Amino acid sequence: MYNYIVNNMYKNEDIVFENRHYGENDGKPIIIEGKSKIMISTPHCVKHMREGKIKSSDIFTFCIGDYLNKSLDCPFIYQSGFDNTDANYSNSKDSKYKKALLYYVIKNDIRLVIDLHGMKNGHGILLDIGTGGKERITLNNETKEFEILKYNLEKELGIINIGDNKIFDCTNPNTISNYISTNCEIPCVQLEISSSLRKPENSEKLINALTNTIAQINYLYKNWKILYILF
């Protein structure tokens, strides 16, 4: 049954596949509501512009985020179409995506943002977790979420060489994780997923790892709130 669900979730990629992954013509960021305090972001699910060059979309990141929204009630933001910017590179003045995400995080007291991206095969690793370099500046002194994510990915995928700020470290202040963590003072991670792991036939363990991670962090958040009230 679980494999059936994972395989069928990829049909939703058609939402952003329109117009050869340029998406909708107006290119607005869209937010799907959720009650969880963990928010999922997929800014590169459609093609985007960086330094005058059109960059390919991070295929299948949308349907992964969409699945986490539907299964775990995580609020979910995605870029619906090409708008001549790159939400993970352009400055905040030019990025409607960053503005929409910032407003939602503040208004809804979001406590963690997981920003999903795709990387090409050939980097020597299948996953890279960006947290702002060696100082982990995007975690805002909260390491538990990162530890839970890394543990579940290693456990489910059987991988011990998951990148830790190896290639995509989020030290650029215009990255979504850096921008949101700085302005909202919450932990944010940028998860770069190799193309081989995003393929439908290979992604079941990845989806399971992300599901377990969010469920466990949600559990901790609820219990931390109870402990805070008690003490």
Side-chain angles (χ1 to χ4, degrees):
M1 177 60 74
Y2 189 78
N3 187 53
Y4 172 82
I5 293 171
V6 171
N7 286 338
N8 278 270
M9 81 179 197
Y10 281 88
K11 295 178 181 178
N12 289 336
E13 185 75 7
D14 289 343
I15 293 173
V16 292
F17 187 73
E18 182 182 358
N19 193 20
R20 294 180 295 118
H21 261 112
Y22 278 94
E24 298 176 358
N25 290 328
D26 54 8
K28 296 178 181 177
I30 292 178
I31 294 177
I32 303 175
E33 297 280 347
K35 294 181 179 178
S36 172
K37 295 300 181 183
I38 301 171
M39 188 161 188
I40 308 300
S41 165
T42 61
H44 289 169
C45 60
V46 293
K47 292 181 180 180
H48 44 286
M49 180 75 78
R50 179 179 293 190
E51 295 183 345
K53 295 181 180 180
I54 296 175
K55 308 285 286 184
S56 300
S57 62
D58 293 346
I59 190 170
F60 298 138
T61 54
F62 168 82
C63 52
I64 294 172
D66 183 62
Y67 174 83
L68 296 173
N69 168 259
K70 288 181 170 64
S71 62
L72 294 168
D73 206 18
C74 292
F76 172 44
I77 182 171
Y78 69 96
Q79 183 68 25
S80 65
F82 183 80
D83 70 349
N84 286 298
T85 70
D86 179 346
N88 205 45
Y89 188 81
S90 301
N91 63 57
S92 58
K93 293 180 180 180
D94 296 329
S95 175
K96 294 179 180 178
Y97 191 99
K98 280 196 185 76
K99 293 175 184 176
L101 177 56
L102 177 68
Y103 179 78
Y104 189 91
V105 167
I106 294 172
K107 182 180 178 182
N108 294 277
D109 191 31
I110 299 300
R111 298 180 60 183
L112 170 67
V113 172
I114 300 177
D115 192 37
L116 300 178
H117 291 264
M119 67 178 181
K120 296 179 181 179
N121 294 329
H123 287 294
I125 54 175
L126 294 176
L127 291 157
D128 195 20
I129 308 176
T131 58
K134 293 181 179 180
E135 296 180 355
R136 302 193 188 283
I137 57 177
T138 72
L139 294 183
N140 274 290
N141 299 313
E142 298 288 344
T143 61
K144 185 59 66 178
E145 291 90 345
F146 167 80
E147 292 169 357
I148 292 173
L149 174 62
K150 191 169 186 291
Y151 171 80
N152 277 303
L153 288 169
E154 290 175 341
K155 179 182 177 182
E156 295 295 337
L157 297 171
I159 300 172
I160 58 174
N161 64 332
I162 291 175
D164 181 352
N165 295 288
K166 184 174 182 180
I167 303 168
F168 305 95
D169 60 12
C170 302
T171 52
N172 185 329
N174 286 327
T175 59
I176 288 168
S177 292
N178 198 312
Y179 174 77
I180 295 298
S181 67
T182 298
N183 288 278
C184 301
E185 297 184 344
I186 63 169
C188 300
V189 298
Q190 178 173 310
L191 181 60
E192 295 278 344
I193 308 167
S194 64
S195 55
S196 60
L197 281 182
R198 284 177 278 130
K199 292 180 179 179
E201 62 268 27
N202 296 336
S203 65
E204 183 176 352
K205 290 182 178 180
L206 169 68
I207 300 302
N208 196 37
L210 292 174
T211 301
N212 287 342
T213 294
I214 292 170
Q216 289 167 17
I217 295 173
N218 273 331
Y219 177 81
L220 283 179
Y221 283 169
K222 290 178 181 178
N223 281 277
W224 285 342
K225 184 176 181 180
I226 293 172
L227 289 171
Y228 177 78
I229 293 172
L230 288 175
F231 295 98

